[in-house]
Amino acid sequence: MLRPVDIHKSYLKHLNDFAKEHVVTISEDICNEHGAVIITKGRQLDEQLSEKISNHNLKVPLERCIKLNRRFDGSALFHGYEQVFKNYPDINLFHQRWNLQSSLKSACRFYHEFPLVVQKITILKNAMPRLFKQAIYSAYISLAIAKQLDAPEEECSAAFLAGLVHDIGILHLDTSLVTTKGEYTPEQWHAMQRHTLIGHDILKSIEHMPNVIAKAVLEHHERVDGSGYPFSKKGLELSVMGQIIGMADTCIALYRRELAGKNLGIDSLLPILQLNPEMYCRKVFHATVTLINDIQWPSKRTYSDEKMPELMSRLKLENEWIHHDYSVLYGLVTSVRPHLEESKRSAMLTNMAQRIHQCLVGSGILQKEHNEWMLNSFVSHNPEDFIAIERLEVMYGEIKWQMKQLKKLLFLLWKNQHLKHPELDVLVKKGLLQIEQYHKHHTEPELH
């Protein structure tokens, strides 16, 4: 667990980087945990002062003792959205269809009312541009979902703000964790989960900040089926706004992970979301589906007809990959589950495994008929059938990702010695090794 000094050290590094190009002024005396002044107000932050601050626990959070001379305020935020609509026709089509201009203006003005939030978003933009973009889009989708649910204007603005700040806790995590390339290790994945708690605590401390926003940030990785974190809450234990932010965050993550590199449109999110409808609050899920479905999107192909045989070969291999990993993981979870002590992780393991099981059974992708459909669609040479096959690649990608998360959780339980029986310890170790060995000998061909 991160100590207070670790939390402000991470944010201090981002402030120091910002101060290399802009002015960061110490606006209030910075005091250590005992109340002794270590930096007097009026000075400008530099590396020497940063080093001095980093050696202390602070009485008042660092962000309350500084001011930025350049801020990404409400006006800049709205202008940023106008540029997005200008540059991305699909998003502009969505914006016009759902008439979001007036609500977006109100939401940007609401954001401007909270200087500490403006500070966080300004630093996020400078320190983590990719995460900043995700925050911008998450806020926008959260606004659209709230409006689709006929929420009052102030609730729509609150959903927007919650979507914008849902990941600000990451600014306070170890920077080496944030800059990790590729997939997280199970340990890193567990450490990253603390960002919801940190973000919640920051927002709770802001005067006049609606409590529903802090709660939504805390819950945005929770899922209705209990497979989320940090508390594995489920169903009616969760706020609707938390589920709105979770859905928006999911849409952005899915688009970045599965669609962006394939030149696919927003409508390609639908088959992925429909894999696990039980994960989401029902009315939030239906509102999101309506927002996407009720637009005549331009048809897009990812691969030429000449590349389809290669895609089919890869999908066949991926189907075998999914079938193998599912068989091993489901067997392991079934074996260890009765012997686990009650905990958040054991609950998450149970709920996550059940979700993947329902997804695979419901989609039918492990059935013989599924492969027959793929073959018949391929030989038909019908453009619509080819589009359906291309969307299947996206579905497979999401299922594989979910199984990787299950494997990481199982690894954490094994590594942290939650498995009290030696034979179960050996069973899990062998199973995880079996998956690793299988993938070494069954690599996917690349499409060129």
Side-chain angles (χ1 to χ4, degrees), residues 143-378:
L143 173 67
I145 295 173
K147 190 172 182 186
Q148 184 66 25
L149 290 170
D150 293 323
E153 191 73 22
E154 60 270 20
E155 288 185 21
C156 290
S157 292
F160 173 89
L161 188 60
L164 188 66
V165 300
H166 73 279
D167 277 341
I168 60 169
I170 294 177
L171 285 168
H172 295 260
L173 295 178
D174 191 322
T175 52
S176 65
L177 177 66
V178 178
T179 56
T180 298
K181 296 188 181 299
E183 293 188 8
Y184 289 130
T185 65
E187 294 86 355
Q188 289 173 325
W189 177 58
H190 179 61
M192 179 58 81
Q193 293 179 9
R194 279 196 43 79
H195 79 275
T196 58
L197 300 163
I198 297 170
H200 169 265
D201 289 349
I202 291 169
L203 295 167
K204 283 283 287 184
S205 71
I206 297 177
E207 192 175 4
H208 304 306
M209 175 66 66
N211 288 334
V212 67
I213 294 178
K215 186 175 183 182
V217 168
L218 179 65
E219 294 179 347
H220 76 272
H221 279 293
E222 302 280 10
R223 296 295 175 260
V224 168
D225 64 357
S227 62
Y229 65 82
F231 301 118
S232 298
K233 291 182 179 180
K234 59 169 62 176
L236 296 177
E237 297 177 282
L238 299 169
S239 66
V240 173
M241 188 171 293
Q243 292 304 288
I244 290 174
I245 310 313
M247 174 61 81
D249 186 47
T250 294
C251 288
I252 297 305
L254 289 174
Y255 188 85
R256 180 178 59 83
R257 191 170 68 237
E258 304 294 346
L259 306 181
K262 298 181 174 69
N263 192 36
L264 291 172
I266 296 172
D267 57 314
S268 298
L269 285 170
L270 280 177
I272 313 178
L273 294 175
Q274 289 166 341
L275 281 172
N276 297 117
E278 292 80 11
M279 284 176 62
Y280 313 106
C281 169
R282 185 170 298 177
K283 64 181 181 179
V284 171
F285 175 78
H286 288 307
T288 307
V289 170
T290 300
L291 285 168
I292 299 172
N293 227 3
D294 201 21
I295 295 178
Q296 192 66 38
W297 300 99
S299 181
K300 292 183 179 181
R301 285 282 304 277
T302 305
Y303 302 109
S304 65
D305 289 357
E306 292 75 18
K307 295 294 182 184
M308 291 305 290
E310 293 179 59
L311 176 60
M312 283 291 293
S313 296
R314 184 150 65 85
L315 289 176
K316 183 176 181 298
L317 192 64
E318 288 189 9
N319 189 281
E320 295 170 358
W321 188 100
I322 290 170
H323 205 151
H324 172 270
D325 283 16
Y326 168 71
S327 299
V328 175
L329 289 171
Y330 195 73
L332 292 176
V333 172
T334 302
S335 297
V336 306
R337 189 163 43 196
H339 305 283
L340 290 173
E341 296 178 356
E342 290 295 325
S343 68
K344 289 187 293 183
R345 285 189 184 177
S346 63
M348 188 186 297
L349 181 77
T350 299
N351 296 325
M352 194 182 292
Q354 185 63 24
R355 180 223 300 170
I356 294 172
H357 174 73
Q358 291 174 347
C359 165
L360 293 175
V361 171
S363 66
I365 68 170
L366 300 184
Q367 303 301 316
K368 179 179 68 174
E369 292 79 6
H370 175 78
N371 289 327
E372 290 175 352
W373 168 82
M374 271 204 302
L375 181 60
N376 292 334
S377 299
F378 173 67

Side-chain angles (χ1 to χ4, degrees), residues 81-89 92:
Y81 280 114
E82 289 186 315
Q83 290 301 116
V84 168
F85 304 142
K86 182 178 178 180
N87 295 332
Y88 296 96
N92 187 54

Side-chain angles (χ1 to χ4, degrees), residues 26-31 36-42 60 64-65:
I26 309 297
S27 57
E28 302 291 338
D29 289 345
I30 297 178
C31 301
V37 176
I38 56 173
I39 307 287
T40 54
K41 65 180 181 180
V60 176
R64 295 184 174 277
C65 302

